[in-house]
Amino acid sequence: MQVMNKTVKMKIIIGADHAGYELKEYIKSQFSDGFEWQDAGTFGSESVDYPDYAHPVAEAVSENKAEKGILICGTGNGVAMTANKHRDVRAALCWNEEIAKLARQHNDANILVLPARFISKELAAEIVKCFFTTEFEGGRHARRIGKINL
Ligand code: RB5
């Protein structure tokens, strides 16, 4: 699946726990053209703790070392809760394309969170495509996201 212009690859960091491991691998395989992947793990289906993977991804986005990120766990909630502790990180749990689109248009979400145990891998790929091709609308939404950081 092609999303971006092949010559300008977007730097994306991706991470998952054991519940999201297979989906992480699938997404990387489907979007090898437009994205330059940085993989923060996990690298197998052995049980791990999701904060150990969510923190490095969120840190890279917060510090502008990656343009955007993707985080995956069983429900998406654990990695989202962890990532949103980081300054300037707006991690959005998305389970359909419309929510992914709005997360970009209204929230300027910079980390896409996927609930691996509740969506098919095909739908996940459509959500990824939608998230990374939708622009932030700015305007009143910029004022609102400016009020998120503590
Ligand atoms: C792992 O079993 C599961 O708890 C984790 O993937 C996630 O859903 C937590 O929020």
Side-chain angles (χ1 to χ4, degrees):
M1 197 180 282
Q2 198 185 327
V3 174
M4 315 301 296
N5 179 343
K6 274 187 188 174
T7 55
V8 190
K9 290 200 174 193
M10 213 191 246
K11 262 193 175 177
I12 304 298
I13 184 161
I14 189 166
D17 73 355
H18 53 286
Y21 166 68
E22 272 186 32
L23 183 56
K24 171 169 73 68
E25 297 307 305
Y26 177 76
I27 287 169
K28 283 193 302 174
S29 75
Q30 293 298 297
F31 296 93
S32 51
D33 277 355
F35 298 164
E36 184 187 322
W37 293 108
Q38 188 186 336
D39 192 339
T42 185
F43 299 105
S45 37
E46 196 179 312
S47 182
V48 293
D49 299 334
Y50 57 80
D52 295 339
Y53 303 91
H55 281 307
V57 168
E59 200 171 288
V61 172
S62 175
E63 293 174 0
N64 289 315
K65 288 177 183 154
E67 211 168 308
K68 287 195 179 64
I70 297 179
L71 279 168
I72 313 168
C73 70
T75 61
N77 274 324
V79 290
M81 288 175 187
T82 308
N84 280 319
K85 296 287 181 193
H86 291 252
R87 191 167 182 82
D88 295 326
V89 163
R90 291 176 299 280
L93 175 55
C94 299
W95 58 92
N96 67 34
E97 290 162 84
E98 188 64 13
I99 290 172
K101 189 174 157 190
L102 288 167
R104 288 288 311 127
Q105 288 179 334
H106 290 191
N107 312 113
D108 197 17
N110 47 19
I111 296 185
L112 169 64
V113 178
L114 296 168
R117 289 181 174 152
F118 296 87
I119 55 174
S120 67
K121 61 185 198 321
E122 292 78 14
L123 175 57
E126 291 304 325
I127 291 170
V128 169
K129 189 174 172 186
C130 189
F131 187 89
F132 287 98
T133 53
T134 304
E135 295 296 325
F136 178 46
E137 281 180 359
R140 67 187 188 283
H141 302 298
R143 185 182 69 241
R144 291 166 186 166
I145 67 166
K147 294 181 177 182
I148 292 177
N149 275 334
L150 293 174

